[in-house]
Amino acid sequence: MARPRVPLISVDALVTAALELVDESGDFSLPKLAKRIGVSQSSIYNHVSGREEILELMRGRIISESPYDLDAADGWEAALGSIVRSYRDAFARHPRLAPLMVLQTVQDSQVLALYEDLAKVLEQAGFRGKDVVSAISTVDSFALGFALDLAAPDVVWAPPADGYPALTGALAQGASPEDRGGAAFDFGLEILMAGLRSRLQATVR
Amino acid sequence: MARPRVPLISVDALVTAALELVDESGDFSLPKLAKRIGVSQSSIYNHVSGREEILELMRGRIISESPYDLDAADGWEAALGSIVRSYRDAFARHPRLAPLMVLQTVQDSQVLALYEDLAKVLEQAGFRGKDVVSAISTVDSFALGFALDLAAPDVVWAPPADGYPALTGALAQGASPEDRGGAAFDFGLEILMAGLRSRLQATVR
DNA sequence: ACCTGAACACCGTTCAAGT
DNA sequence: ACCTGAACACCGTTCAAGT
């Protein structure tokens, strides 16, 4: 076969298949991707510049599959909450993707739009100057860190039975690994909000 | 050459060389590691179980190179601050290591000891039951997220010149990328502390 | 116990050749 | 424009063979 009348590959199909592979195994490779689509490895390069672009396309896909509605949000706290929750939900649906995103610069326009909204909301909240970037970094660190937690819910800390009594005790107190992630996220978001609120009161006054 | 009278490889030398490679290039491979030590690739397996163990040993190395002193800390806030700062400093010295740690479960005893201290400090602060794990997760997400930020200080968000005015404006307000990381960390740590403090007041009362 | 070299099963990317 | 197969330069890990 050479050039078919209708293309065998589409970028969308590529991203879908790659995401399936990541969901199933935590990784993907071009040979496996090609096999899943039923196409040769090298033909992928007719649609995409390489592995990195596929990764970035996956980020855009999951972010756009988890939209947020700022119009429905009343006040900066609700708006910030809905952005961070949507980000978390995106990775909650594809937890094994988060570790792969870490080496990659954000280029996807959907994701940049999310950060743009974040900047607007924080300015609306009252942050000014350098504090805006600092606040974005803080929110971002929090959200990324939690997305990564989701990737390894039951193995983040695996202390041996002896030693580490405080850590072992704390883990025993918690709910199941899945619930733990959810509870910790809500807890963390509350901490984050309270912290930002208190910072605003300190500087505005 | 076969078995030399004195071993050509030590685990310490392995970790040192691997860390140098990561610092220089952001990654390491067994062939390159072997070449740097002047030894054959396969002989590495006489000292270490494989690539994963080397990664875990690197984590232990940098954590132990950035100690914290809890005795000097007065109160839970100072103690928490010194743990989180030491964690951050460890990765600040080897920023390109952080992304590689992300796929890996924590097994190193030095690092588990750090989490054990974290659990103790949070209990000392007044957190109880499930909240202890949630608080650890929150602190951990924050610290990990910032460590990752350090790995790509000037390229985290690279918005094109047009569009994204709020994001672009915020980035322009900030200091240089390096200072930005530092300022954002201090800002974030303050937010984190304030949030935890406010949560304690809400539950204790 | 500790090293070597060869071998194996993987990678990502390029490129000439086909239609 | 879009596909194929071969080729290249890499990986991590195993294993028989040496001392």
Side-chain angles (χ1 to χ4, degrees):
Chain A
M1 184 198 325
R3 171 156 121 84
R5 292 195 289 87
V6 51
L8 298 180
I9 306 180
S10 74
V11 173
D12 264 10
L14 227 38
V15 175
T16 302
L19 211 39
E20 284 169 12
L21 284 168
V22 169
D23 287 342
E24 288 165 15
S25 76
D27 204 357
F28 81 103
S29 74
L30 297 214
K32 283 170 188 158
L33 189 51
K35 194 165 293 172
R36 177 158 297 225
I37 306 193
V39 96
S40 99
Q41 205 181 139
S42 52
S43 60
I44 292 175
Y45 289 84
N46 283 301
H47 300 85
V48 122
S49 67
R51 184 186 157 86
E52 292 223 338
E53 189 180 348
I54 299 175
L55 278 167
E56 197 53 25
L57 287 167
M58 286 195 272
R59 166 148 43 199
R61 166 76 67 86
I62 70 159
I63 292 294
S64 61
E65 275 178 355
S66 179
Y68 52 91
D69 182 8
L70 289 188
D71 298 332
D74 193 28
W76 71 268
E77 299 199 23
L80 181 59
S82 81
I83 294 176
V84 177
R85 274 176 204 286
S86 112
Y87 187 92
R88 204 280 299 249
D89 290 347
F91 282 105
R93 285 196 200 88
H94 306 280
R96 309 179 86 169
L97 184 60
L100 305 181
M101 296 288 91
V102 139
L103 320 106
Q104 202 86 2
T105 311
V106 174
Q107 290 169 335
D108 182 274
S109 65
Q110 304 268 6
V111 186
L112 284 172
L114 185 147
Y115 282 105
E116 173 72 8
D117 283 337
L118 210 49
K120 281 184 198 150
V121 165
L122 289 164
E123 278 171 8
Q124 178 198 336
F127 290 101
R128 293 289 176 269
K130 301 165 54 168
D131 282 2
V132 179
V133 183
S134 292
I136 296 179
S137 287
T138 301
V139 173
D140 188 49
S141 297
F142 171 78
L144 179 59
F146 262 102
L148 290 170
D149 255 20
L150 290 170
D154 44 350
V155 288
V156 233
W157 318 291
D162 54 335
Y164 318 109
L167 184 56
T168 308
L171 285 168
Q173 293 282 344
S176 67
E178 305 82 41
D179 300 340
R180 198 165 74 209
F185 178 81
D186 292 333
F187 180 96
L189 189 54
E190 193 190 310
I191 301 292
L192 185 65
M193 294 291 196
L196 290 172
R197 217 181 293 126
S198 117
R199 167 84 182 204
L200 279 172
Q201 285 167 357
T203 51
V204 161
R205 165 164 45 91
Chain B
M1 185 197 327
R3 170 154 122 86
R5 292 194 291 85
V6 52
L8 298 179
I9 307 181
S10 73
V11 173
D12 265 9
L14 229 37
V15 175
T16 302
L19 212 39
E20 285 170 12
L21 283 169
V22 169
D23 287 342
E24 288 165 15
S25 76
D27 203 357
F28 80 104
S29 74
L30 298 214
K32 283 170 189 158
L33 189 51
K35 194 164 294 172
R36 177 159 297 226
I37 306 192
V39 97
S40 99
Q41 206 181 138
S42 53
S43 60
I44 292 175
Y45 289 83
N46 283 302
H47 300 86
V48 123
S49 65
R51 184 185 157 88
E52 292 223 338
E53 189 180 349
I54 299 175
L55 278 168
E56 199 51 26
L57 287 167
M58 285 195 272
R59 166 149 42 201
R61 165 77 67 88
I62 71 158
I63 291 295
S64 62
E65 274 178 355
S66 179
Y68 52 91
D69 182 8
L70 289 187
D71 298 332
D74 193 26
W76 70 269
E77 298 199 23
L80 182 58
S82 82
I83 294 176
V84 177
R85 275 176 205 285
S86 112
Y87 187 90
R88 205 280 298 251
D89 289 348
F91 283 104
R93 284 196 202 90
H94 306 280
R96 309 179 86 168
L97 184 60
L100 304 181
M101 296 288 91
V102 140
L103 319 105
Q104 202 87 1
T105 311
V106 173
Q107 290 169 334
D108 182 273
S109 64
Q110 304 268 7
V111 186
L112 284 172
L114 184 147
Y115 282 107
E116 173 72 9
D117 283 336
L118 211 49
K120 280 184 198 151
V121 165
L122 290 164
E123 277 170 9
Q124 178 197 335
F127 289 102
R128 292 291 176 267
K130 300 165 53 167
D131 282 2
V132 179
V133 182
S134 292
I136 296 179
S137 287
T138 301
V139 172
D140 188 48
S141 297
F142 171 78
L144 179 59
F146 263 102
L148 290 170
D149 255 20
L150 290 171
D154 43 351
V155 287
V156 234
W157 317 292
D162 53 336
Y164 317 109
L167 185 56
T168 309
L171 285 168
Q173 293 283 343
S176 68
E178 306 80 43
D179 299 340
R180 198 165 75 210
F185 178 82
D186 291 334
F187 181 96
L189 189 54
E190 193 191 311
I191 299 293
L192 186 66
M193 294 291 198
L196 290 171
R197 218 181 292 125
S198 120
R199 167 86 181 202
L200 280 172
Q201 285 167 356
T203 51
V204 161
R205 167 164 43 90

